[in-house]
């Protein structure tokens, strides 16, 4: 830990995308950059001008309260809430970025130290090996050195573009004496209309988040509470994973590791597979059997209603009720040994197994992450739907925060989603997470339990519908660390 007795958590010290629901956003720009090797001092000096623009958790809480009040007033007046102009900024660094600016302390995470490119094979990403070196099938930009990432959220593209230009001027981007250079940028957007809050396959997303002690003081039913150190470095529950590193550097207190993944979703192909493989249960139409298959892949209906509670039909009222839509544990009497209600390999069960481990006396506290991503790309076009082939890029800009990447994101992907034998101690092999489970040979993926009336039957998953195209591990320092360790006085 950074200190045997760290001071009480100050929301003004923590970057605003990490806790309290993250930066409010209708759109978000991810600006990946390199720091000019000849202008490191300039960058660190200019950084002092950026720090006042960085959104803190205190500001996030205030912004969310303003939005809630805006919505409440609009409801009272019986009209749609007007957009509130609002932006947020956060700053993170890769391990190579820290080294570039001369910060060489080991902050105690082996995955962060290596970077995600070196971790891609471990994560199951597709790629090729030449002369003993694995190269994932990523976009070339993600194979370059990326030193940092600036996240800019807002109510509109105009708002985020305005803020990005303000930031670029600080670092003289595109000028001959620029201290940073853009590697590339990605823009994500909340989906329109009734699809807001749903990922591109159509399922309500972001429901199951942990509550953090001292931050989320009124957890919802079914919401698990974790110690602050599961998300923030230096707090109770935080544990480094580098051999010989038992103490985080003092400046790392209240920072958090960010895992970023550029995930493409093959939506027309996914929908075609559901259409071609309806669950053949008497009384269901083919369309209903296809809808049920999608729900059993995910562990939720598109409304967000968990199939462990309502296994045979959707319940939209349940799905939109935060007091009920996460209040389940896979602990119905039949749950441990049958897939009657929910397949063992369903996405939400693979990535948050609840009673599957807890009732065996295995704690899952250190496996919790806070997700804060956003969708990217357009809606499926009529031509794509008709041809059942993806023509336009779309998917998820995945972001997770944790104090330990090895125990958090990396473990969930490698040891749970990609592990055909997880959850453990089941009477049949569960198979891959059908959504995010990765295999070197995508055609080798299978899953059992899709048909509740034939639970040992495995269904070949003929295509990888979520395809990683890049990513990186970053560290989001606290505001005091940025001021006292990263920035230099002018």
């Amino acid at each position: 830990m950074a200190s045997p007795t760290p001071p009480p958590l100050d929301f003004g010290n923590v970057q605003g995308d990490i806790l309290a629901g993250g930066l409010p956003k209708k759109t978000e720009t991810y600006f990946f950059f390199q720091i000019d090797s000849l202008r490191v001092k300039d960058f660190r000096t200019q950084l002092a001008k950026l720090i006042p623009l960085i959104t803190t958790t205190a500001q996030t809480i205030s912004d969310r309260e303003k939005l809630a009040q805006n919505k409440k007033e609009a409801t009272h007046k019986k009209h749609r809430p007007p957009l509130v102009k609002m932006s947020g900024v956060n700053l993170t660094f890769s391990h190579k970025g820290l080294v570039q600016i001369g910060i060489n302390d080991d902050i105690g995470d082996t995955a962060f130290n290596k970077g995600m490119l070196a971790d891609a094979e471990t994560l199951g990403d597709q790629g090729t090996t030449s002369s003993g070196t694995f190269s994932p099938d990523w976009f070339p930009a993600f194979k370059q050195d990326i030193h940092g990432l600036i996240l800019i959220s807002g109510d509109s593209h105009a708002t985020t573009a305005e803020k990005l230009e303000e930031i670029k001027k600080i670092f003289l981007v595109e000028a001959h004496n620029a201290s940073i250079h853009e590697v590339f940028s990605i823009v994500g957007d909340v989906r329109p209309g009734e699809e807001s809050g749903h990922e591109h396959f159509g399922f309500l997303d972001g429901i199951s988040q942990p509550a953090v002690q001292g931050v989320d003081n009124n957890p919802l039913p079914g919401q698990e509470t974790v110690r602050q150190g599961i998300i923030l470095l230096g707090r109770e529950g935080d544990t480094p994973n580098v051999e010989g590193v038992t103490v985080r550097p003092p400046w790392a207190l209240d920072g958090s590791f960010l895992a970023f993944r550029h995930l493409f979703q093959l939506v027309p192909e996914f929908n075609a597979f559901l259409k071609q493989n309806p669950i053949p249960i008497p009384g269901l139409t083919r369309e209903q059997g296809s809808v049920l298959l999608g729900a059993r892949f995910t562990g939720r209906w598109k409304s967000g209603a968990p199939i462990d509670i309502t296994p045979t039909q959707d319940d939209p009222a349940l799905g939109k009720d935060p007091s009920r839509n996460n209040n389940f544990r896979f602990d119905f009497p039949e749950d441990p040994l049958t897939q009657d209600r929910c397949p063992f390999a369903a996405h939400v069960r693979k990535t948050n197994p609840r009673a599957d481990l807890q009732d065996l006396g295995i704690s899952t506290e250190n496996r919790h992450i806070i997700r804060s991503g956003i969708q990217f790309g357009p809606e499926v076009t009529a031509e794509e739907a008709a041809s059942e082939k993806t023509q336009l890029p779309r998917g998820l800009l995945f972001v997770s925060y944790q104090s330990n990447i090895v125990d958090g994101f990396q473990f969930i992907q490698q040891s749970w989603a990609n592990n055909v034998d997880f959850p453990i101690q089941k009477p049949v092999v569960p198979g891959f997470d059908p959504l995010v489970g990765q295999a070197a040979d995508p055609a080798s993926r299978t899953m059992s339990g899709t048909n509740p009336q034939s639970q040992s039957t495995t269904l070949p998953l003929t295509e990888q519908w979520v395809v990683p195209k890049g990513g990186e591990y970053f560290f989001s320092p606290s505001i005091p660390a940025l001021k006292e360790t990263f920035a230099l006085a002018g």
Side-chain angles (χ1 to χ4, degrees), residues 35-89:
I35 301 165
D36 193 296
S37 61
L38 300 178
R39 300 190 182 277
V40 171
K41 184 176 179 181
D42 289 348
F43 168 76
R44 297 184 68 175
T45 301
Q46 293 159 353
L47 183 57
K49 297 179 182 178
L50 175 66
I51 293 171
L53 303 182
I54 294 177
T55 309
T56 66
T57 295
Q59 185 62 51
T60 289
I61 293 171
S62 175
D63 287 346
R64 288 191 170 275
E65 289 173 349
K66 291 176 184 176
L67 292 173
Q69 182 62 30
N70 182 55
K71 184 177 181 179
K72 181 179 179 181
E73 291 175 359
T75 300
H76 178 70
K77 296 176 182 178
K78 297 182 180 179
H79 62 68
R80 293 174 60 88
L83 277 180
V84 177
K85 184 174 182 180
M86 184 177 290
S87 64
V89 176

Side-chain angles (χ1 to χ4, degrees), residues 344-361:
F344 301 136
H347 173 64
V348 302
R349 194 166 187 173
K350 275 277 198 178
T351 56
N352 189 5
R354 309 176 196 232
D356 283 328
L357 290 183
Q358 293 167 357
D359 286 4
L360 297 176

Side-chain angles (χ1 to χ4, degrees), residues 194-211:
E194 293 184 357
E195 293 301 323
S196 177
H198 296 244
E199 50 73 53
H200 275 291
F201 291 142
F203 296 89
L204 187 64
D205 199 14
I207 299 172
S208 179
Q209 299 273 35

Side-chain angles (χ1 to χ4, degrees), residues 258-270:
L258 184 162
F260 175 84
R261 294 277 269 174
H262 197 191
L263 301 177
F264 278 64
Q265 292 177 252
L266 305 182
V267 180
E269 291 85 346
F270 178 79

Side-chain angles (χ1 to χ4, degrees), residues 11 45 71 91 105 115 184 199 252 258 279-280 314 335 351 486:
F11 293 157
T45 301
K71 184 177 181 179
L91 172 66
D105 295 333
F184 61 100
E199 50 73 53
L258 184 162
I279 297 177
D314 196 0
D335 277 348
T351 56
F486 286 72

Side-chain angles (χ1 to χ4, degrees), residues 214-291:
V215 180
D216 308 295
N217 294 319
N218 296 295
L220 295 165
Q223 186 178 24
E224 297 185 40
T225 298
V226 300
R227 291 171 292 172
Q228 293 176 0
I230 301 302
I231 307 300
L232 299 176
L233 275 69
R235 295 286 168 181
E236 182 185 1
D238 170 37
T239 306
N241 59 54
V242 174
E243 185 176 354
V245 177
T246 58
V247 178
R248 307 280 195 185
W251 59 263
L253 177 68
D254 291 338
S256 187
F257 291 111
L258 184 162
F260 175 84
R261 294 277 269 174
H262 197 191
L263 301 177
F264 278 64
Q265 292 177 252
L266 305 182
V267 180
E269 291 85 346
F270 178 79
N271 290 338
F273 184 88
L274 298 183
K275 183 179 178 180
Q276 295 160 9
N277 295 275
I279 297 177
I281 293 179
L284 293 185
T285 66
R286 284 185 62 87
E287 182 179 0
Q288 290 170 333
S290 296
V291 171

